[in-house]
C-alpha cells in the first residue's frame, strides 16, 4: 500500500526520496501502462504549482499520449514539433522557462507557462517522454532537471 510521505530536506534529498518511492512502488510489476500510470500519479502528488504531468510514448514515428494527470491533452505530437517533439529529436532534457517564447510550442492547455520534458531512452532510442507543465513561468530549474532525469532512470528499470 502506498502512503504519502512528507518530503523533507533540500531539493536533492526530496528527489532521492521520490526515487526510492518510485522504485518501491513499481517493484515486481512489469506492466508498462500500470507503471507509467503510477509514476504520473506519484509525480502529481510530489509537485506543487504544476497543472499537467504525464507521458507521451513513441508509436509509429510520433509521440502518442500516455498515462497522465491533468486536463485532457493533445493526443499526437510529431517528432521535432513543440517541446516534447524537440526533446525526442535532440534526445535531451528541455527546460523551458516561458513556453510562449519557445518556437513552435504546442498549447494543449492555455494555462501552461513553463515546461520540462525528459526523454525516456532505451537501447539508445527514445521510447517516450515525461512531460510536466506549470501555470508559472520559470517553474523548473537545474535541480528539477537532475532529479527528474534520475526519476526517469529509475522508471526505465521497470519499463
Amino acid at each position: 500500500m502506498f502512503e504519502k510521505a512528507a518530503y523533507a530536506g533540500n531539493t536533492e534529498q526530496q528527489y532521492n526520496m521520490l526515487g526510492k518511492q518510485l522504485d518501491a512502488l513499481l517493484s515486481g510489476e512489469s506492466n508498462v501502462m500500470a507503471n507509467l500510470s503510477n509514476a504520473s500519479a506519484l509525480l502529481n502528488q510530489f509537485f506543487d504549482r504544476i497543472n499537467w504531468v504525464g507521458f507521451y510514448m513513441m508509436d509509429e514515428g510520433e509521440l502518442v499520449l500516455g498515462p497522465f494527470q491533468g486536463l485532457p491533452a493533445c493526443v499526437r505530437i510529431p517528432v521535432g514539433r513543440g517541446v516534447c517533439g524537440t526533446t525526442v529529436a535532440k534526445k535531451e532534457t528541455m527546460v523551458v522557462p516561458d513556453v510562449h517564447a519557445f518556437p513552435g510550442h504546442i498549447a494543449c492547455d492555455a494555462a501552461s507557462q513553463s515546461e520540462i520534458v525528459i526523454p525516456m531512452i532505451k537501447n539508445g532510442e527514445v521510447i517516450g517522454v515525461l512531460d510536466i507543465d506549470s501555470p508559472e513561468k520559470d517553474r523548473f530549474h537545474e535541480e528539477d532537471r537532475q532529479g527528474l532525469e534520475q526519476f526517469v532512470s529509475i522508471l526505465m528499470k521497470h519499463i
Side-chain angles (χ1 to χ4, degrees):
M1 175 196 315
F2 180 81
E3 292 183 25
K4 188 172 180 177
Y7 296 99
N10 63 32
T11 304
E12 182 181 356
Q13 292 167 325
Q14 291 177 29
Y15 273 111
N16 285 337
M17 170 61 83
L18 180 69
K20 289 176 185 174
Q21 284 183 307
L22 177 69
D23 202 33
L25 184 62
L26 305 185
S27 184
E29 180 53 63
S30 61
N31 184 279
V32 173
M33 195 65 61
N35 288 343
L36 293 175
S37 295
N38 270 332
S40 64
L42 181 62
L43 286 168
N44 192 54
Q45 68 84 37
F46 174 75
F47 277 107
D48 59 357
R49 304 176 353 259
I50 66 166
N51 58 319
W52 200 92
V53 56
F55 297 92
Y56 281 92
M57 303 304 291
M58 290 299 297
D59 184 20
E60 297 184 15
E62 66 183 340
L63 288 167
V64 177
L65 182 64
F68 69 94
Q69 304 276 311
L71 293 176
C74 303
V75 176
R76 296 180 181 273
I77 299 174
V79 171
R81 185 146 181 259
V83 181
C84 290
T86 302
T87 296
V88 173
K90 291 185 172 188
K91 292 187 178 180
E92 65 183 38
T93 298
M94 303 283 302
V95 179
V96 181
D98 179 357
V99 296
H100 302 292
F102 188 88
H105 173 252
I106 301 169
C108 295
D109 182 346
S112 293
Q113 298 292 315
S114 62
E115 185 171 6
I116 185 167
V117 181
I118 298 87
M120 300 166 61
I121 300 174
K122 189 170 191 171
N123 300 324
E125 296 296 320
V126 178
I127 64 163
V129 298
L130 166 60
D131 179 21
I132 306 174
D133 296 351
S134 173
E136 293 180 10
K137 287 186 180 177
D138 201 28
R139 165 66 180 85
F140 306 104
H141 300 96
E142 178 62 18
E143 297 85 5
D144 298 302
R145 183 192 62 76
Q146 292 173 3
L148 289 167
E149 286 176 350
Q150 175 186 341
F151 183 91
V152 167
S153 177
I154 294 166
L155 175 63
M156 293 307 294
K157 294 187 324 186
H158 300 279
I159 302 282

